Amino acid sequence: MASNDVQDYVGFDTITQQMERKFLKRGFNFNVILVGESGMGKSTLVNSIFASHLIDSQGRRAAQEVIRKTTEIAPVTQTLEENGVRVRLTIVDTPGFGDQCNNEGCWVPVIKYIKDQHAAYLERELKPQRDRVIVDTRIHACLYFLNPGSRGLRPLDVEVLKRLTEVTNVIPVIAKSDSMTIEERTAFKRRIKEELAFHRIVVFPYACEDDSEEDRVLNASIRELIPFAVVGSEEVMELDGKLVRGRRHGWGVINIFDENHSDFVHLRNFMLRTHLSDLVEVTAQRHYEQFRTSQLRQIKELRAQQAAAAATGGPHAMPTQAPPQAPVANVMQHQPMTQV
Amino acid sequence: MKSTSGSAGAQKKKMQGYVGFSNYPNQVHRRSVKRGFNFTLMVVGESGIGKSTLINTLFDSKIFSDREEMPPSAEPTKGVDVTSMSADIQENGVKLRLTVVDTPGFGDSINNEDAWQPILENIESRFDAYLAQENRVNRSKISDNRIDAVIYFIKPTGHCLRAIDIEFMKRLHTKVNLIPIVAKADTLTAREMEQFKAKILADINYHGIQIFKPVSDEFDDPETVADNREILSKIPFAVIGSEKHVERPDGSQVRGRRYPWGIIEVENENHNDFVKLRQMLLRTHMEELKDSTDMVLYENYRTQKLLSMGHVQDNNVFREFNPLVQLEEERRAHEAKMQKMEAEMTAVFQQKVQEKESKLKQSEEELYARHKEMKTVLEKQRAELDEKKKRAEATARPITPMEQHATKGKKKNIFSGF
């Protein structure tokens, strides 16, 4: 088609560059929640992934410090910049999770927080006059920390994962995996995958019909690695002339960037280099939409109930729940989370 | 219990030749070797923390077999089990009956508030069994299965102790010799481990938890004192276990764990404190552990138990015996007891009388109510029957005298048939 080339070039393929420029100007939000007991290596891992000291460990450091009685939610927001791209990164730590003798319900504050963020976004969306850009505080990824050495999933893990995977993208990791030999890791991963399948717990990445072939291949290779057996470190040391992050033991030095030593590189690339936009999109398309649907349906039912009650009239017709004053403002008490 | 120095009367004499009573310890030694020893160890820690591996490594034999893999559909264990495993092992002619008590399920549930309870009950039941045996008429054969030491496995978090650790240790430290260790020592670097151990000791001191520590006294030779001090400096021990042998770059085979970045050796003191643990537990302080269990822990338990059962320490036995005073006291005590018993009995009697009264009253009321009910029912029936009779008389033909006789007699039957 030699004759038509130059005139027939329309030029809409520059959309990607236009979007990139917009992104550069606007920046974006990325919110990650860390769920795991004290001492699992949460802070160290996050600080390693983002190569900066973002959060402090919330573990108990002195005997006089009291053991927390409930799970607290501790979000920390920072703006990072790389090559002109700005990200408002929020890391939400959950100190106290799983630390008590009786851990019944320790997941409740976590689930509530995640749902609250969906609710806040919904409220802003439903406003008659919306902001130009809605600040997105929804949780895009949840790193769930597994216990190395356990037979498989512990009863607490099963309970929490079932609930977490319903509201957010869950990425299971083993943070202090330097206490497991390679055989032990392989056996543990196999066991975890079996148990996840048995309990029907679906972790990120999800399979999607309109995935391209290379997406499928990539996702399959990621799923092979789950849960990621990683080692985190904030210490930079010199190894073979290069500066790496690692841990120095008396019997050897661990280089967290070495693929034979840990899956750290894979996790980082997965989270940030290949699936970052996926995480954000899937949160919006799948989890948020689910939440939104259930919320709006509840409001509809509520209004129907009210209408029915008003129609039949009489003092004995009482609405089963407190009637909402104004539809929009009230969405946000977001109606009973019967199942948390 | 160190022997007191000779009382005022004994003189120190010097012997002129070799007499030979210094051979006495050897005789004791030979007898104990003939008899054999027993040692009971308990291991406590969450699943997967390395209890079985450590025991197998300590005694260099497969005391615990590999845990079998359960399918994902298997129900997780609820609560804490206490199981025990015995093995007769021999070394250099010395026979040891080793019992290891395992506690599967500890710390594995969502709610671990009472995880320590079954363990404490088990320890106390062993004390009770020994106490019962001691009180038997024939005490020639006493089997001792009291727990000599509890090895508590601490997770290598790097932070202070967890709630479950503190709870467990506080509940049990006065009943057993507690030996806390840091499991999976290959998780932390040397510096991290130092800080972690300091935090653990701070927590232990803060909560007043007593752990087993080797102490030296004036009778020990300087070598032992130095050894003890070294052991003490490493407490709590940070250990790893391994049943497998790995080959080092120089070709030698050692017990250890192979990582892509190196090999950690079980018996290398620079890598972990396994050697110190083994030394303290088996080579130097086993006798001390058993002694402490027998003389201190068991005695305390026994005292508490007997006091709580009402026995009173009778120190009168040691004072000078004055029969009159004794009699007077006894009489008084006896009278007081009698009065108390009397008071109790009257109280019980009163209570029983009251109960019986109220019961009788109740049944009386019930009977009365029933009587009334039956009466009303009867009245109703009678009224019904009267009605029926009237109706029957109204419709029926006049009865012949013969029938009248018959019905008169049958009247009751017909009516009673209703």
Side-chain angles (χ1 to χ4, degrees), chain A residues 37-40 57-65 67 98-105 107 147-151 154-156 159 176-185 190-191 194-195 198-199 231 235 247-255 260-262, chain B residues 46-49 67-74 76-77 107-113 155-167 184-192 199 202-204 206-207 244 257-265 270-272:
Chain A
E37 293 167 21
S38 165
M40 294 282 224
S57 165
Q58 300 279 340
R60 221 162 56 92
R61 253 159 300 207
Q64 291 82 3
E65 274 180 55
I67 299 177
D99 284 340
Q100 299 102 39
C101 283
N102 183 359
N103 290 315
E104 290 280 356
W107 53 83
N147 189 35
S150 291
R151 209 168 294 204
R154 297 172 303 167
L156 180 65
E159 280 302 309
K176 291 194 178 180
S177 59
D178 49 347
S179 61
M180 300 174 93
T181 61
I182 301 296
E183 301 90 48
E184 288 166 355
R185 276 189 222 179
R190 180 184 51 81
R191 175 77 193 183
E194 264 175 38
E195 297 201 3
F198 174 78
H199 290 283
V231 181
E235 216 181 296
R247 292 169 63 69
R248 193 180 292 279
H249 287 289
W251 52 94
V253 181
I254 306 176
N255 172 7
N260 298 324
H261 292 190
S262 90
Chain B
E46 61 178 42
S47 166
I49 205 165
R67 59 183 180 194
E68 40 174 281
E69 185 162 327
M70 312 277 273
S73 48
T77 49
D108 290 335
S109 319
I110 296 182
N111 183 356
N112 296 310
E113 237 165 23
K155 220 165 115 169
T157 59
H159 299 306
C160 289
L161 288 177
R162 299 179 301 157
I164 191 175
D165 299 332
I166 297 175
E167 186 67 25
K184 299 195 185 255
D186 46 4
T187 313
L188 299 175
T189 62
R191 194 164 42 97
E192 288 167 351
K199 286 185 195 160
D203 250 332
I204 285 176
Y206 182 77
H207 290 276
K244 300 200 194 85
R257 290 167 65 74
R258 176 193 294 285
Y259 292 109
W261 49 86
I263 294 176
I264 180 171
E265 299 162 31
N270 296 324
H271 291 184
N272 74 108

Side-chain angles (χ1 to χ4, degrees), chain B residues 6 8 30 49 65 71 83 95 164 182 220 228 247 298-299 302 336 355 363 396 402:
Chain B
R30 241 179 305 141
I49 205 165
S65 49
T83 64
K95 292 186 281 265
I164 191 175
V182 177
D220 285 332
N228 282 349
E247 194 173 309
Y298 170 68
E299 287 302 314
R302 183 175 169 278
E355 273 180 32
S363 49
M402 243 187 0

Side-chain angles (χ1 to χ4, degrees), chain B residues 74-232:
Chain B
E75 275 287 313
T77 49
K78 280 241 165 2
V80 182
D81 261 338
V82 183
T83 64
S84 87
M85 195 135 260
S86 282
D88 283 319
I89 46 186
Q90 201 181 60
E91 189 184 54
N92 290 346
V94 178
K95 292 186 281 265
L96 177 71
R97 162 151 275 229
L98 171 73
T99 307
V100 184
V101 181
D102 195 5
T103 53
F106 179 84
D108 290 335
S109 319
I110 296 182
N111 183 356
N112 296 310
E113 237 165 23
D114 297 321
W116 50 270
Q117 187 118 6
I119 300 176
L120 183 62
E121 278 170 15
N122 184 281
I123 293 173
E124 292 191 334
S125 76
R126 289 164 188 263
F127 279 150
D128 285 334
Y130 194 81
L131 186 58
Q133 285 184 77
E134 263 196 344
N135 290 335
R136 279 210 300 240
V137 174
N138 186 348
R139 294 196 302 186
S140 51
K141 210 165 191 321
I142 298 189
S143 71
D144 181 5
N145 64 351
R146 299 172 293 188
I147 305 281
D148 293 313
V150 167
I151 302 185
Y152 186 74
F153 288 66
I154 298 177
K155 220 165 115 169
T157 59
H159 299 306
C160 289
L161 288 177
R162 299 179 301 157
I164 191 175
D165 299 332
I166 297 175
E167 186 67 25
F168 178 83
M169 292 204 273
K170 270 168 88 163
R171 297 273 182 182
L172 264 78
H173 67 136
T174 51
K175 299 280 173 21
V176 277
N177 294 314
L178 201 52
I179 304 178
I181 61 165
V182 177
K184 299 195 185 255
D186 46 4
T187 313
L188 299 175
T189 62
R191 194 164 42 97
E192 288 167 351
M193 189 60 82
E194 231 181 85
Q195 292 170 345
F196 185 46
K197 285 189 184 183
K199 286 185 195 160
I200 294 176
L201 289 174
D203 250 332
I204 285 176
N205 288 334
Y206 182 77
H207 290 276
I209 295 169
Q210 293 156 31
I211 61 175
F212 180 78
K213 290 190 182 142
V215 282
S216 313
D217 54 30
E218 67 264 20
F219 290 101
D220 285 332
D221 53 277
E223 213 183 273
T224 316
V225 172
D227 277 341
N228 282 349
R229 213 176 309 144
E230 240 196 85
I231 292 179
L232 197 59

